[in-house]
C-alpha cells in the first residue's frame, strides 16, 4: 500500500526509465514507461485526467513518473525449461516527482527473479517486466485514491446469486466473465 497521497495530481507524465551501464537492453526503459502509461489509462478508471508519455510540462498538478533499471538479465527460457538453469531477473526503482518544482514525492525499488525450471520455466523477462509494471501502477493508483476490487469470496451478493442460477458449463466449453469499468474503481479483468 502507498504511504503517500497523490490526490492533488490531475495529470501524469511517464518519462522513459533510464538504464545503468550494466543493462544491455537499453530499450527496456522506454518499453516499461509505455506499459505504465497504458496501465494507468486503462486499469483504474479515470484517476488522472490525462496520462502521457514523454517530457513533463512542468505544471504543479502534474505527477512525473520515471525511474531506472539497474539490472535486466533475460536469462535463457529454453535452459530453464530443459535443465532448470538460466534464471531471469530485473532490478530497478521508480521515482515520483512533483511537476511544478520537481521535488521528490516517492522513490521505491522493484525487483523480480525467476529461476524455476521444467514446465514453469517458460516464464520470461517480459513476464517479470509486466509484473513490475503492475506493481508500480498499483502503488500509484492506490496513492491516488483507487481502491482495489474485493478479494474472491467478497463479491457483490447479486453476482453470487446470478452465478448460482446458471447451468454448469458443459465439457469442452468455457465461460468467460468480463468486468467493465462502470464503477468507481475501474477494475478491468478478463
Amino acid at each position: 500500500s502507498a504511504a503517500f497521497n497523490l490526490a492533488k495530481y490531475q495529470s501524469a507524465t511517464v518519462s522513459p526509465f533510464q538504464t545503468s551501464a550494466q543493462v544491455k537492453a537499453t530499450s527496456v526503459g522506454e518499453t516499461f514507461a509505455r506499459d505504465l502509461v497504458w496501465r494507468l489509462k486503462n486499469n483504474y478508471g479515470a484517476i488522472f485526467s490525462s496520462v502521457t508519455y514523454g517530457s513533463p510540462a512542468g505544471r504543479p498538478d502534474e505527477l512525473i513518473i520515471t525511474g531506472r533499471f539497474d539490472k535486466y538479465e533475460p536469462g535463457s527460457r529454453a535452459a530453464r525449461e530443459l535443465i532448470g538453469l538460466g534464471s531471469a531477473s530485473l532490478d530497478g526503482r521508480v521515482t515520483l516527482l512533483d511537476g511544478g518544482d520537481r521535488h521528490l514525492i516517492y522513490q521505491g525499488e522493484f525487483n523480480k527473479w525467476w529461476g524455476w525450471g521444467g514446465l514453469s520455466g517458460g516464464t520470461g523477462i517480459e513476464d517479470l517486466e509486466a509484473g513490475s509494471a503492475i506493481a508500480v501502477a498499483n502503488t500509484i493508483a492506490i496513492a491516488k485514491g483507487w481502491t482495489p476490487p474485493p478479494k474472491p469470496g467478497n463479491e457483490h451478493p447479486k453476482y453470487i446469486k446470478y452465478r448460482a442460477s446458471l447451468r454448469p458449463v458443459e465439457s469442452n466449453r468455457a465461460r468467460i466473465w468480463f468486468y467493465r469499468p462502470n464503477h468507481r474503481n475501474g477494475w478491468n479483468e478478463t
Side-chain angles (χ1 to χ4, degrees):
S1 65
F4 53 96
N5 188 322
L6 300 175
K8 85 171 213 172
Y9 298 100
Q10 299 306 308
S11 66
T13 301
V14 185
S15 295
F17 280 46
Q18 298 174 348
T19 54
S20 71
Q22 292 81 18
V23 175
K24 292 179 176 73
T26 56
S27 65
V28 66
E30 181 181 338
T31 304
F32 191 79
R34 289 188 185 279
D35 188 8
L36 279 176
V37 168
W38 188 90
R39 291 179 190 286
L40 290 171
K41 279 183 174 180
N42 296 294
N43 289 356
Y44 306 98
I47 60 172
F48 292 104
S49 62
S50 70
V51 180
T52 57
Y53 171 84
S55 299
R59 294 185 317 270
D61 69 341
E62 176 186 29
L63 176 67
I64 301 169
I65 305 165
T66 190
R68 176 182 173 101
F69 278 90
D70 296 313
K71 180 179 181 185
Y72 190 85
E73 295 291 332
S76 171
R77 192 182 292 236
R80 284 191 304 279
E81 288 176 359
L82 294 174
I83 57 176
L85 299 174
S87 65
S89 63
L90 62 81
D91 291 324
R93 72 184 78 135
V94 62
T95 303
L96 305 180
L97 304 168
D98 181 272
D101 62 10
R102 303 244 176 169
H103 75 266
L104 179 66
I105 299 167
Y106 173 81
Q107 188 169 56
E109 295 180 1
F110 57 87
N111 54 60
K112 297 279 185 183
W113 176 84
W114 188 263
W116 296 102
L119 294 175
S120 61
T123 297
I125 192 75
E126 302 85 8
D127 303 305
L128 303 182
E129 188 179 335
S132 296
I134 290 167
V136 169
N138 281 346
T139 298
I140 292 167
I142 290 169
K144 184 70 171 104
W146 174 76
T147 304
K151 294 182 178 172
N154 294 335
E155 293 96 351
H156 193 278
K158 290 180 185 177
Y159 166 76
I160 293 171
K161 287 181 182 178
Y162 175 71
R163 184 179 67 188
S165 71
L166 298 174
R167 287 183 298 189
V169 178
E170 298 172 24
S171 63
N172 297 327
R173 303 262 180 182
R175 180 173 289 134
I176 300 174
W177 295 97
F178 293 94
Y179 294 89
R180 299 177 187 244
N182 62 355
H183 47 78
R184 189 170 88 74
N185 65 22
W187 183 255
N188 288 319
E189 188 175 314
T190 56

